[in-house]
């Protein structure tokens, strides 16, 4: 049986699969870095050796970023590449896309890595470590090897199997937006983001914003004649915490497992330029979660109104209101119809490989699902190795066991979904 043969192939290549993940983790493909460009060429070369029909193209950045529905970027890029490899189906079966992002977030505070190299790709008895190991190079490697197993064994799939590696997921979804713009579609898509091998057919959204709070500078020794922008931000921050509580009071059933499914957080603040001055402008950059089924414009309005109301309660801010600007990643929420066949396919194949069922939930983070599903109308789910709690955190790592399980399951999902001739 083809299924058994491909599972044997994956078992025989387990060590290579783990090594491959370590090699890719050692490439620091931070969003917007030169390595983000380089890794796409490495993967494109790899797909040539796998004899896939290859579409490698330079993304026309100016045109793409100018599109009215472009989801936003947060880092500058001079160059970006799209890579899609296709195993042509031998019949008229449904097509499947595996879509994995190659970019990773920066390592963050080096102290929290406790002396470890963030891009070590160190392999322990049961994990591979390093930035991106979990989010989501393990999912990328699982996809690559699932496809490789199927092509090397010449498994006669009826529908097309498409492997897309994308840039810019972390800062808005440039890569997936670009491949949709180029015309790539499939009858279903699996994004192997870290779900601890659960199935996530929905994603909350996240909108990046900047609040600018005006103040009035003066020498700190005469601070009463100035206005501290930091002090004026405090009631605004309190208003955001209050809004967050209100917005999370009712949860979408798929988000019930999260204490806070749609958080609002300020990730970065800057104000003032001198220790002995009253700071006159504060910039607070943050993100607001978008509920499943909620419009982007509704979420934006809620935040703008909360900031506006806080300003009304303060004499200075009433006359000099804080402003809200939407910039960077604008992730809508998204959900795939729960009766889409890809959901039962993934559930069945996962159970076949592990012998146990999986739970279903929505991710609290934004992802490319909303582009595939929203713009592309492609039923899309997340299913991948790694605990998302390890993503973006110091000492990121992924379980080797989950990596190999995902590789096996993805191969079976492709066979099941695309069919055999
Ligand atoms: Zn990710």
């Amino acid at each position: 049986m083809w299924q058994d043969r491909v599972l044997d192939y994956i078992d025989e290549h387990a060590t290579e699969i783990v090594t491959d993940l370590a090699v890719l983790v050692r490439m620091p493909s931070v969003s917007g870095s030169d390595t983000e460009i380089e890794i796409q060429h490495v993967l494109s070369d790899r797909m040539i050796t796998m004899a896939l029909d290859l579409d490698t193209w330079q993304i026309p950045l100016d045109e793409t970023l100018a599109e009215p529905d472009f989801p936003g970027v947060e880092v500058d890029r001079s160059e970006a590449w799209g890579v899609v490899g296709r195993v042509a189906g031998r019949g008229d079966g449904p097509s499947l896309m595996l879509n994995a992002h190659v970019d990773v977030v920066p390592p963050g505070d080096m102290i929290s890595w406790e002396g470890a190299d963030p891009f070590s790709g160190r392999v322990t008895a049961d994990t591979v470590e390093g930035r991106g190991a979990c989010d989501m190079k393990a999912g990328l490697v699982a996809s690559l090897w699932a496809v490789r197993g199927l092509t090397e064994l010449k498994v006669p799939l009826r529908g097309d199997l498409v492997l897309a590696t994308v840039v810019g997921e972390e800062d808005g979804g440039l890569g997936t937006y670009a491949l949709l713009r180029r015309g790539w579609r499939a009858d279903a898509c699996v994004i192997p983001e870290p779900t601890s091998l659960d199935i996530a057919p929905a994603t909350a959204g996240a909108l990046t914003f900047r609040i600018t709070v005006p103040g009035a500078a003066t020498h700190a020794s005469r601070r009463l004649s100035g206005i501290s922008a930091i002090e004026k931000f405090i009631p605004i921050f309190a208003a955001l915490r209050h809004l967050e509580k209100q917005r999370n009071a009712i949860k979408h059933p798929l988000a019930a497992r999260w204490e806070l499914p749609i958080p609002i957080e300020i990730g970065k603040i800057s104000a003032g330029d001198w220790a002995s001055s009253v700071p006159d402008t504060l910039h607070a950059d943050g993100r607001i979660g978008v509920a499943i089924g909620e419009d982007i414009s509704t979420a934006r309005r809620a935040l703008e109104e909360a900031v506006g109301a806080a300003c009304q309660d303060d004499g200075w801010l009433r006359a000099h209101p804080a402003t809200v600007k939407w910039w960077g990643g604008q992730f809508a929420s998204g959900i795939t119809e729960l009766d889409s066949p890809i959901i039962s396919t993934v559930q069945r194949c996962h159970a076949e490989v592990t012998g146990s069922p999986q739970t279903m939930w929505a991710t609290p983070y934004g992802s490319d699902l909303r582009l595939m599903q929203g713009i592309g109308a492609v039923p899309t789910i997340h299913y991948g190795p790694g605990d998302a709690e390890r993503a973006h955190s110091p000492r990121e790592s992924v379980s080797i066991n989950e990596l190999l399980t995902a590789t096996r399951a993805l191969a079976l999902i492709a066979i099941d979904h695309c069919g055999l001739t």
Side-chain angles (χ1 to χ4, degrees), residues 101 135-136 169-170 193-194:
H101 69 81
D135 185 8
M136 59 175 287
E169 190 276 343
E170 295 288 358
E193 287 275 8

PDB file of all heavy atoms in Angstrom, residues 101 135-136 169-170 193-194, ligand 1:
ATOM      1  N   HIS A 101       5.813  29.318   6.128  1.00  0.00           N
ATOM      2  CA  HIS A 101       6.636  30.534   6.047  1.00  0.00           C
ATOM      3  C   HIS A 101       8.072  30.248   6.469  1.00  0.00           C
ATOM      4  O   HIS A 101       8.327  29.413   7.338  1.00  0.00           O
ATOM      5  CB  HIS A 101       6.014  31.702   6.820  1.00  0.00           C
ATOM      6  CG  HIS A 101       5.974  31.594   8.310  1.00  0.00           C
ATOM      7  ND1 HIS A 101       7.052  31.876   9.112  1.00  0.00           N
ATOM      8  CD2 HIS A 101       4.973  31.255   9.161  1.00  0.00           C
ATOM      9  CE1 HIS A 101       6.712  31.742  10.385  1.00  0.00           C
ATOM     10  NE2 HIS A 101       5.454  31.351  10.445  1.00  0.00           N
ATOM     11  N   ASP A 135       8.440  27.800  15.188  1.00  0.00           N
ATOM     12  CA  ASP A 135       7.621  28.699  14.347  1.00  0.00           C
ATOM     13  C   ASP A 135       8.433  29.173  13.158  1.00  0.00           C
ATOM     14  O   ASP A 135       9.103  30.173  13.231  1.00  0.00           O
ATOM     15  CB  ASP A 135       7.147  29.873  15.188  1.00  0.00           C
ATOM     16  CG  ASP A 135       6.194  30.767  14.424  1.00  0.00           C
ATOM     17  OD1 ASP A 135       5.781  30.415  13.313  1.00  0.00           O
ATOM     18  OD2 ASP A 135       5.881  31.854  14.935  1.00  0.00           O
ATOM     19  N   MET A 136       8.342  28.517  12.014  1.00  0.00           N
ATOM     20  CA  MET A 136       7.749  27.237  11.816  1.00  0.00           C
ATOM     21  C   MET A 136       8.587  26.388  10.892  1.00  0.00           C
ATOM     22  O   MET A 136       8.108  25.776   9.957  1.00  0.00           O
ATOM     23  CB  MET A 136       6.311  27.384  11.277  1.00  0.00           C
ATOM     24  CG  MET A 136       6.271  28.152   9.948  1.00  0.00           C
ATOM     25  SD  MET A 136       4.613  28.218   9.215  1.00  0.00           S
ATOM     26  CE  MET A 136       4.440  26.535   8.645  1.00  0.00           C
ATOM     27  N   GLU A 169       5.647  36.281   6.559  1.00  0.00           N
ATOM     28  CA  GLU A 169       4.416  35.948   7.284  1.00  0.00           C
ATOM     29  C   GLU A 169       4.362  36.708   8.602  1.00  0.00           C
ATOM     30  O   GLU A 169       3.315  37.206   9.006  1.00  0.00           O
ATOM     31  CB  GLU A 169       4.337  34.434   7.548  1.00  0.00           C
ATOM     32  CG  GLU A 169       2.987  33.965   8.075  1.00  0.00           C
ATOM     33  CD  GLU A 169       2.807  34.103   9.586  1.00  0.00           C
ATOM     34  OE1 GLU A 169       3.811  34.265  10.308  1.00  0.00           O
ATOM     35  OE2 GLU A 169       1.664  34.082  10.060  1.00  0.00           O
ATOM     36  N   GLU A 170       5.523  36.777   9.253  1.00  0.00           N
ATOM     37  CA  GLU A 170       5.549  37.356  10.601  1.00  0.00           C
ATOM     38  C   GLU A 170       5.170  38.839  10.606  1.00  0.00           C
ATOM     39  O   GLU A 170       4.686  39.346  11.602  1.00  0.00           O
ATOM     40  CB  GLU A 170       6.939  37.171  11.237  1.00  0.00           C
ATOM     41  CG  GLU A 170       7.308  35.713  11.494  1.00  0.00           C
ATOM     42  CD  GLU A 170       6.516  35.086  12.644  1.00  0.00           C
ATOM     43  OE1 GLU A 170       5.702  35.781  13.267  1.00  0.00           O
ATOM     44  OE2 GLU A 170       6.722  33.889  12.906  1.00  0.00           O
ATOM     45  N   GLU A 193       1.699  25.528  10.836  1.00  0.00           N
ATOM     46  CA  GLU A 193       2.095  26.349  11.987  1.00  0.00           C
ATOM     47  C   GLU A 193       2.050  25.472  13.229  1.00  0.00           C
ATOM     48  O   GLU A 193       1.318  24.480  13.270  1.00  0.00           O
ATOM     49  CB  GLU A 193       1.106  27.507  12.171  1.00  0.00           C
ATOM     50  CG  GLU A 193       1.205  28.622  11.150  1.00  0.00           C
ATOM     51  CD  GLU A 193       2.263  29.665  11.491  1.00  0.00           C
ATOM     52  OE1 GLU A 193       3.044  29.452  12.446  1.00  0.00           O
ATOM     53  OE2 GLU A 193       2.305  30.686  10.789  1.00  0.00           O
ATOM     54  N   PRO A 194       2.801  25.832  14.270  1.00  0.00           N
ATOM     55  CA  PRO A 194       2.798  24.986  15.472  1.00  0.00           C
ATOM     56  C   PRO A 194       1.436  24.957  16.162  1.00  0.00           C
ATOM     57  O   PRO A 194       0.963  25.976  16.658  1.00  0.00           O
ATOM     58  CB  PRO A 194       3.846  25.644  16.372  1.00  0.00           C
ATOM     59  CG  PRO A 194       4.010  27.036  15.864  1.00  0.00           C
ATOM     60  CD  PRO A 194       3.702  26.987  14.397  1.00  0.00           C
TER      61      PRO A 194
HETATM   62 ZN1  LIG B   1       4.363  31.177  12.304  1.00  0.00          ZN
END
